[in-house]
Amino acid sequence: MSKKYVYLFSEGNANMRELLGGKGANLAEMTNLGLPVPQGFTVTTEACTRYHEDGQKIASEIVDEIYAAMEKVEKIVGKKFGDLENPFLVSVRSGARASMPGMMDTILNLGLNDVAVKGLAKQTNNERFAYDSYRRFIQMFSDVVMEIDKTKFDAILDDVKEKNGAKADTDLTAENLKEVVERYKELYKKEMGNDFPQDPKVQLLESVKAVFRSWNNPRAIVYRRLNDIPGDWGTAVNVQAMVFGNMGDDSGTGVAFTRDPSTGEKKLYGEYLMNAQGEDVVAGIRTPEPISHLQNTLPEIYDQFVNIAQKLEDHYRDMQDMEFTIEKGKLYMLQTRNGKRTAKAALKIAVDLVNEGKLTKEEALLKVEPKQLDALLHPAFDPKALKAADPIAKGLPASPGAAAGQIYFTAEEAVEAGKNGQKVILVRLETSPEDIEGMHVAEGILTGRGGMTSHAAVVARGMGRCCVAGCSELTINETEKYFIAKGKKYNEGDFISLDGSTGYVYGESIATQPPAVSGDFATFMEWADATRTLKVMTNADTPKDAAQAVKFGAEGIGLCRTEHMFFDETRIPAVREMIVARTEEQRRKALAKLLPIQKGDFKGLYEAMEGRPVTVRLLDPPLHEFLPHEDDDIQDLAKEMGLDFEELKGIVQSLQEFNPMLGHRGCRLAVTYPEIAEMQARAIIEAAIEVKQEKGYDIVPEIMVPLVGEVKEFSYVKEAIDKAAKAAMEDKGVDIDYKVGTMIEVPRAALTADEIAKEAEFFSFGTNDMTQMTFGFSRDDAGKFLEDYYSKSIFESDPFAKLDQKGVGKLVNMAVELAKPVNPEIKLGICGEHGGDPSSVEFCHNIGLNYVSCSPYRVPIARLAAAQARVKEILNK
Ligand code: PEP
Ligand code: MG
């Protein structure tokens, strides 16, 4: 049998969402429930996919199915589509699986033409209504199908209103509306070069095609990327009998939610307009009445609506967002769907529905989007203040939250300003590890270059600092301390605001509110923890960040990047001394100075984690990152170190690399200078022994070797670690357990994971570097060209933010499968940025990792994502 592309509402149900889209499936379900739904049919998502596959053409068999369905609906409603005496009018609406703003929305009153409008006037004995409907149809069809600028139609309407002294649209007479219709048609002809289509079948097919096309419009593509919606889903089209809210004062239309979508409070919430069509409510032309008002004006309709709303909520076991129309005192339901809601409302509704006995805890866990929790964990803009502000630029939403403050262009000046009690926004072309302190004092960070895993983005997320990265619209001049946005110059000390959740930059200070964590949040997260099997660790390098992560539920540290500890003012001299040392003896002398400092760092971390496991990674970045590059700075350092300027400059130059990310970094440093690894290993072990003695915490440190690609690299470094650990334990006279493992981030490490797993006690997948090396995309530069990949539908999402499961994920999975048979005890985790991304967390659960590790502020998100992955696994069994 050939595929069926068109379904009557009476043929579908709520489970057919993939085929019928959300709107179509729910219209079918409401029909099955016996609710008053104007009848119609749904053209499936598969028809949309086929339309695109066929080179933007609707196949003739689909056209035939559409006409056949139309005939069946005509029989149900007792009118004929295209009839000139008593025309059957329909609405055409898009409806994807997930609701998607940005796509073509709605066309109403389709089926009208110059003759049928007269028939409609006669049939309804309401000429005003007939021409009002026709002018709306011409405008909507022209706007959404033919893409003629809507404001040109508004201008005509306004002109006719003004000429006739009409304040509102409802004041226009039938004669006025006839004039509007004539002028709209003239405009259409001028814009399109032909007459407004009079054949209802042409109107219908053109509208269906427009819905299919809108699946790939730029706004829809962006929305899909932000919301993880695959590009191959396609959208369905719903064709539904019109009912009219604009038939007079006993007619109207409205929208309502079964619970308050911003607070979650259990009460009917919504608004309506009498003598109006749906678009009037959305467009905000007239001020609608609150739904409660309907109780006084049309009490029977109100009671009926309340009953239906309750029935729908009970049926779907979720808060519903409904559209309705009242036609001459009769209520019709046009749509229902699970309503969009704020994070706060989502948590309250989920917890309430469990308490009301409508959902199990596991089901409730699926009702909150993990990413939504973010809004509760960071300061946010005061919504009123934000509404009044206009953005001056947009960059990447690299680290969420809201920040307002004065701009500074160097880390030192930011630190100074911070000391003076100012709120600071650090603006840099790009940040480097030297900027750490400036980033720490800043409320927010703004960079002109770099992507979602650029230094600024990664570090800011770790600190929970708001960050907008890669804002290439700005011209930033760091030397002269200004930037230019939309032609305006912003100088050092000027106020700006950043929205790290949207990427918007504002040229003024906008008031912010601190994060509020309500009781429902804690309850909900307890349920998540009780359900999930995947552990959630954190990436943290300071006791402060570690303590924050524990508050957010982290079970340990999965990645401590030790290099971040090296930049502090007090220790950088010893670090530099180590780097410029010419002999091993000199290097060991410098390392001896660093040892107690590093030990102190690790003790701080262990104490903050109160006995939870801590994984410390050995030094990773290329050494030149720690050295000054300007002559003046080299001069100062030379003086400080008692070196000749030329000699030091020569050393600095000798450390420079063409491609440092693929250069002398990671375990390669330890291969050249094992004494660095020895110092770090000794500090890690001594710190654990001392914390055990002082605080009683039993720490089993996990020492992690970065950037391994060959097992012999790992074995070589492990030997240095073991030697240092043994010496430290002998010196202290105490034996403790520790583990040595490796990052798996070089593709070759994944390919030879069976060899490495024989030697390593744990693997942590460094998917930032692995993504970089698998695609061959520089993680610091890809942001510049990835935008083109999205707009040209080559990529749907940023592979540095959402794990590329097909390619990079395949390597990860392969490594897991190679490792487990040779080392069944091996502990497996991920510590790349993907460890905090919900879909990537689900992937990690499904391939059997033991833990994910992410920045502190994403820990709750990962906890929920892990719980959802487990619930889905149970449901699929
Ligand atoms: C990684 O590469 O995924 C990782 C966690 O290490 P870093 O980001 O420090 O390179
Ligand atoms: Mg790495």
Side-chain angles (χ1 to χ4, degrees), residues 617 620 665 707 743 745 766 768-769 779:
R617 182 178 73 187
D620 186 25
R665 59 170 286 219
L707 227 69
M743 303 272 297
E745 48 189 344
N768 301 334
D769 271 309
R779 52 198 269 201

Side-chain angles (χ1 to χ4, degrees), residues 78-317:
K79 288 187 199 176
K80 272 198 117 37
F81 187 62
D83 193 301
L84 299 177
E85 303 283 313
N86 183 15
F88 173 36
L89 306 187
V90 295
S91 66
V92 176
R93 298 169 198 247
S94 61
R97 264 191 241 181
S99 92
M100 262 185 54
M103 272 174 28
M104 196 208 87
D105 196 19
T106 302
I107 300 168
L108 301 178
N109 312 332
L110 189 142
L112 277 176
N113 58 26
D114 293 351
V115 186
V117 68
K118 291 185 183 137
L120 182 67
K122 215 163 159 194
Q123 191 69 33
T124 57
N125 201 14
N126 191 340
E127 193 175 40
R128 189 197 172 281
F129 155 73
Y131 282 91
D132 186 46
S133 302
Y134 195 24
R135 65 99 187 164
R136 288 169 189 270
F137 170 52
I138 298 172
Q139 173 167 358
M140 277 188 261
F141 185 89
S142 306
D143 169 22
V144 300
V145 179
M146 298 302 171
E147 295 176 24
I148 305 174
D149 187 355
K150 186 168 172 282
T151 58
K152 293 184 178 165
F153 290 93
D154 290 339
I156 292 174
L157 191 67
D158 287 344
D159 185 54
V160 175
K161 274 190 342 205
E162 201 181 304
K163 258 189 3 199
N164 294 289
K167 283 204 188 72
D169 299 359
T170 40
D171 296 334
L172 291 169
T173 63
E175 289 312 311
N176 301 153
L177 289 163
K178 279 182 194 171
E179 182 189 339
V180 173
V181 163
E182 281 315 309
R183 288 177 61 183
Y184 274 12
K185 287 197 307 182
E186 278 163 27
L187 174 62
Y188 183 94
K189 186 160 186 183
K190 193 168 138 236
E191 294 282 331
M192 301 303 299
N194 48 36
D195 286 324
F196 186 78
Q198 294 290 307
D199 181 348
K201 284 187 171 172
V202 172
Q203 296 171 355
L204 179 63
L205 284 190
E206 287 306 318
S207 302
V208 171
K209 283 194 264 180
V211 174
F212 288 162
R213 277 198 305 275
S214 73
W215 177 253
N216 278 336
N217 77 30
R219 278 166 306 161
I221 290 173
V222 169
Y223 186 84
R224 285 205 286 276
R225 177 153 59 83
L226 296 177
N227 291 280
D228 281 350
I229 298 174
D232 57 10
W233 276 5
T235 179
V237 186
N238 297 292
V239 179
Q240 186 175 25
M242 280 299 306
V243 283
F244 297 95
N246 58 336
M247 278 192 121
D249 292 336
D250 55 355
S251 301
T253 186
V255 177
F257 296 82
T258 53
R259 298 179 193 230
D260 185 330
S262 55
T263 63
E265 193 191 340
K266 190 180 177 185
K267 67 158 204 248
L268 197 61
Y269 176 94
E271 49 194 25
Y272 70 102
L273 267 177
M274 293 312 278
N275 199 9
Q277 277 197 317
E279 27 140 22
D280 300 336
V281 182
V282 182
I285 296 167
R286 283 189 276 147
T287 311
E289 299 285 347
I291 191 90
S292 55
H293 193 82
L294 196 61
Q295 194 166 15
N296 309 326
T297 54
L298 291 170
E300 276 171 32
I301 296 276
Y302 180 78
D303 288 346
Q304 190 192 354
F305 184 71
V306 170
N307 276 336
I308 290 176
Q310 189 62 52
K311 190 166 177 179
L312 284 172
E313 186 181 282
D314 290 348
H315 183 73
Y316 284 100
R317 300 187 300 146

Side-chain angles (χ1 to χ4, degrees), residues 7-10 31 37-42 69 73 76-77 88 238-241:
Y7 287 78
L8 295 181
F9 292 168
S10 53
T31 300
V37 177
Q39 286 303 291
F41 57 87
T42 304
V73 179
I76 301 172
V77 296
F88 173 36
N238 297 292
V239 179
Q240 186 175 25

Side-chain angles (χ1 to χ4, degrees), residues 10 45 109 258 310 335 521 534 678 739 742 801:
S10 53
T45 53
N109 312 332
T258 53
Q310 189 62 52
Q335 172 170 328
F521 180 83
L534 189 67
E678 284 170 27
K739 292 192 167 107
T742 180

Side-chain angles (χ1 to χ4, degrees), residues 559 561 563 617 620 661 665 706-707 743 745 765-770 772-773 779 831-832:
L559 171 65
R561 293 177 164 103
E563 51 271 19
R617 182 178 73 187
D620 186 25
M661 282 309 250
R665 59 170 286 219
L707 227 69
M743 303 272 297
E745 48 189 344
F765 291 97
T767 44
N768 301 334
D769 271 309
M770 202 189 259
Q772 166 168 265
M773 291 188 232
R779 52 198 269 201
C831 64

